[in-house]
Amino acid sequence: MSAKPITLGVDFGTTNTCVAYVKGKVPRCVPTDKGSLVLPSVVAKSTKGELLVGNVAKDQMVTNPKNTVYGVKRLIGRQFRSKTVEELRKYFSYEIVEGEDGGCAVNLGGTVQSIPEVSSHILSHCKKVSEAFLEEPIEDAVIAVPAYFTDSQRAAVKEAGKLAGFNVKRIINEPTAAALAYGFNRGFDQKILVYDMGGGTFDVSILQLHGNVFEVVATGGDTFLGGVDFDNRIIDYVLEEFRRQTRIDLATSPIALQRIKSASETTKIDLSMMANVMIELPYIESRRGKPVDLRIALSREKLNALTGDLVDRTFQVVGNLLAEESLRPTDLREVLLVGGQSRMPLVQGKTHQYFGKLPRKGVHPDESVALGAALLGESLHEEDAVTLVDVLSVPIGIALPGGRFRRIIEKNASIPTAKSFRLPPAKSGDVELDVFQGEAEQIVDNEYLGTLRFAPDLGGRKVTFQVDEECMLRVTAEGTTGAAREVLLATKDTPQSLKEAWNEEMARRAAEQSAAEPPRGGGLFASIRRIWGG
Ligand code: ADP
Ligand code: MG
């Protein structure tokens, strides 16, 4: 009988979720979906009103798009009125509404659920399946999140875990987890790079390993570059080839398009193993009452030609990060490839070319984040087993008059960290301070974290922002008595004044944009094309 309770390591991905545990010091993944180690991060309400999770949910995507919710990780912890959500709403086929707290919610089969709630269905499915598999109850979890997640995104992930019945022991950054899976207890002293290309995002991190000290040195990436962009290139190619062969345009038929989309992803994955694939979709259309079949050959070489620039873009991001850190490719001892899309042979080849060495073997692209999270979970039982040293990847600051953003804690500051500043003196009444996180100069382009409200006696006094080891913000203020006291964010719901400023700015930009370019067709077509779990 093992005395220690199991802590589940969770890689809650945009596209897929994977969970792992440690037994007898060995980390392993739990089969969560019909024997598969990864579960599509998809939640749906069937036409009969049943809640579906994973492949069964993904399978009814075409027939029930409005009630099939995917890619929620892109929405978690974001304000409904934010630039990213505004952008994403155009592409998702399900309805995104404003939640009670100013966050996002979805309409799932007639009931409005917050994003943490929807996410919790995925996590509670994993919990249930793991408990059955391991034959013991599981309470504790360590959940991995992207390094660039803001304070509110982290808080929302924690909330999702809690709603699923977990006691969330720690939030860990995904690249750190991948590095742990590679280097835990192996006594390395080296700098490594984690290249993570998933379904919709590309993340790159540089870490320094000293024994069991894992230090994130720098992070970068592109939140709109991932596997789905590769799929889209294949879709475009197939549509064009079919048009050339038959003069039929399938782009206007949502069902045909969804079949092509699905086949494109499968073909892409197959081409990681094989040199040639025949895409065959019988009865894709009918002409004069007769079925027309789709049959198009695609080689790996052709795929590389269609998508080579996407891979090149990732290496530009890598190059920029190295330059920022004054590092050369040869300064990195190992390169860990993480994320499903990094399995593409072209990515492996470019890695070899760029770094002059092959990517590290034995690091599993789908599993390593979950395995690393599980290892951290296990080590939390022991004193000082692992030390994680992180940096803040997105600056935190406050709103200034006129909507400008003043950074209080800078990007790449080592955490935990604290920084103090003086509050502007109160003219009358309470002092309000809107807190944001982001890289932009203007607050509307950053993520809103909350509003601090101080009694007038605090005006002119010192406020301290503290970022803890999980990258989460705590605020304290010194009152007139001199004693520090913790102030909670007074509200997470965007205050009316901010909403108005936001609406005005967005209207101004929309007017500017529509003058510059005519709007493109949206609807189901765009939703299928652009983002699937991306
Ligand atoms: P996320 O982190 O977004 O949850 P994953 O790491 O699970 O994503 O990666 C999913 C992406 O990886 C999808 O776009 C999928 O098509 C792609 N993918 C999975 N396996 C392969 C493969 N063998 N070759 C190329 N791409 C793959
Ligand atoms: Mg991932």
Side-chain angles (χ1 to χ4, degrees), residues 135-214:
E135 298 177 334
E136 60 182 280
I138 298 169
E139 300 278 304
D140 299 342
V142 170
I143 309 181
V145 300
Y148 58 80
F149 256 27
T150 62
D151 169 81
S152 55
Q153 288 170 302
R154 286 162 199 265
V157 167
K158 274 194 160 173
E159 190 192 336
K162 224 167 116 188
L163 290 172
F166 280 120
N167 168 21
V168 183
K169 306 277 281 194
R170 262 303 280 268
I171 293 289
I172 182 176
N173 285 336
E174 289 167 9
T176 310
L180 267 168
Y182 155 68
F184 180 65
N185 273 351
R186 297 182 66 184
F188 291 137
D189 190 352
Q190 55 187 230
K191 236 186 211 90
I192 63 164
L193 184 133
V194 178
Y195 176 111
D196 180 352
M197 184 136 65
T201 57
F202 170 64
D203 302 315
V204 55
S205 312
I206 298 168
L207 288 103
Q208 174 73 51
L209 315 191
H210 285 297
N212 276 344
V213 179
F214 294 76

Side-chain angles (χ1 to χ4, degrees), residues 369-396:
V369 171
L371 296 176
L375 283 168
L376 177 66
E378 174 78 359
S379 79
L380 291 176
H381 296 292
E382 297 156 43
E383 196 76 8
D384 298 327
V386 211
T387 309
L388 307 183
V389 185
D390 249 306
V391 294
L392 182 70
S393 40
V394 190
I396 296 180

Side-chain angles (χ1 to χ4, degrees), residues 97-156:
V97 296
E98 182 162 6
E100 277 169 19
D101 55 355
C104 298
V106 297
N107 189 341
L108 191 62
T111 45
V112 173
Q113 300 199 9
S114 72
I115 299 301
E117 268 177 279
V118 176
S119 308
S120 77
H121 300 317
I122 297 168
L123 300 178
S124 81
H125 174 94
C126 291
K127 183 172 185 281
K128 228 169 39 208
V129 173
S130 304
E131 286 174 337
F133 181 78
L134 296 166
E135 298 177 334
E136 60 182 280
I138 298 169
E139 300 278 304
D140 299 342
V142 170
I143 309 181
V145 300
Y148 58 80
F149 256 27
T150 62
D151 169 81
S152 55
Q153 288 170 302
R154 286 162 199 265

Side-chain angles (χ1 to χ4, degrees), residues 219-294:
T219 66
D222 185 336
T223 49
F224 282 93
L225 178 58
V228 73
D229 298 298
F230 291 72
D231 303 349
N232 286 340
R233 293 290 171 85
I234 303 177
I235 297 171
D236 286 341
Y237 175 72
V238 168
L239 288 175
E240 201 183 292
E241 273 297 291
F242 192 74
R243 219 177 280 134
R244 205 176 52 76
Q245 289 173 7
T246 64
R247 297 205 189 155
I248 298 175
D249 185 10
L250 294 176
T252 51
S253 156
I255 301 284
L257 205 51
Q258 180 59 38
R259 285 180 69 194
I260 294 171
K261 167 149 194 27
S262 178
S264 295
E265 185 182 4
T266 316
T267 303
K268 174 189 77 176
I269 293 172
D270 289 345
L271 286 172
S272 289
M273 300 280 289
M274 298 181 266
N276 291 286
V277 169
M278 182 63 77
I279 307 173
E280 298 198 271
L281 294 168
Y283 209 161
I284 193 91
E285 257 287 336
S286 63
R287 184 148 57 184
R288 290 188 282 279
K290 289 216 183 84
V292 183
D293 302 336
L294 181 149

Side-chain angles (χ1 to χ4, degrees), residues 242-501:
F242 192 74
R243 219 177 280 134
R244 205 176 52 76
Q245 289 173 7
T246 64
R247 297 205 189 155
I248 298 175
D249 185 10
L250 294 176
T252 51
S253 156
I255 301 284
L257 205 51
Q258 180 59 38
R259 285 180 69 194
I260 294 171
K261 167 149 194 27
S262 178
S264 295
E265 185 182 4
T266 316
T267 303
K268 174 189 77 176
I269 293 172
D270 289 345
L271 286 172
S272 289
M273 300 280 289
M274 298 181 266
N276 291 286
V277 169
M278 182 63 77
I279 307 173
E280 298 198 271
L281 294 168
Y283 209 161
I284 193 91
E285 257 287 336
S286 63
R287 184 148 57 184
R288 290 188 282 279
K290 289 216 183 84
V292 183
D293 302 336
L294 181 149
R295 235 179 99 81
I296 291 166
L298 191 66
S299 65
R300 184 185 289 173
E301 217 174 316
K302 182 72 193 171
L303 174 67
N304 290 351
L306 291 173
T307 59
D309 64 306
L310 299 174
V311 177
D312 290 343
R313 255 170 72 193
T314 65
F315 282 91
Q316 267 161 28
V317 174
V318 168
N320 292 343
L321 191 66
L322 292 183
E324 267 172 39
E325 297 301 313
S326 309
L327 290 170
R328 288 158 304 168
T330 46
D331 293 332
L332 297 156
R333 183 63 200 279
E334 296 288 352
V335 178
L336 316 187
L337 295 186
V338 178
Q341 188 59 47
S342 73
R343 285 228 193 81
M344 186 186 195
L346 184 63
V347 171
Q348 319 227 349
K350 284 260 158 93
T351 304
H352 189 186
Q353 208 182 356
Y354 191 91
F355 292 98
K357 60 174 74 76
L358 285 165
R360 177 75 195 187
K361 286 224 167 56
V363 173
H364 197 290
D366 293 331
E367 300 173 15
S368 58
V369 171
L371 296 176
L375 283 168
L376 177 66
E378 174 78 359
S379 79
L380 291 176
H381 296 292
E382 297 156 43
E383 196 76 8
D384 298 327
V386 211
T387 309
L388 307 183
V389 185
D390 249 306
V391 294
L392 182 70
S393 40
V394 190
I396 296 180
I398 54 172
L400 291 179
R404 278 169 308 124
F405 179 58
R406 175 182 158 201
R407 295 174 177 208
I408 300 293
I409 302 182
E410 288 289 343
K411 180 185 164 126
N412 286 340
S414 299
I415 54 166
T417 187
K419 200 122 179 231
S420 301
F421 58 98
R422 296 236 159 245
L423 264 187
K427 291 202 184 74
S428 62
D430 289 353
V431 182
E432 277 198 356
L433 206 58
D434 301 316
V435 184
F436 285 82
Q437 190 163 12
E439 306 254 11
E441 302 284 319
Q442 296 292 320
I443 54 165
V444 287
D445 296 322
N446 292 331
E447 289 290 325
Y448 170 73
L449 296 186
T451 298
L452 301 160
R453 196 169 293 130
F454 301 99
D457 68 322
L458 279 170
R461 298 286 155 172
K462 200 170 80 168
V463 179
T464 304
F465 278 12
Q466 264 175 290
V467 177
D468 68 13
E469 68 276 2
E470 290 184 316
C471 259
M472 299 195 59
L473 179 67
R474 271 183 57 204
V475 183
T476 46
E478 245 166 64
T480 35
T481 58
R485 88 175 119 120
E486 191 165 344
V487 282
L488 295 169
L489 292 174
T491 169
K492 285 243 172 190
D493 189 4
T494 334
Q496 200 52 39
S497 58
L498 272 183
K499 281 184 187 169
E500 278 159 21

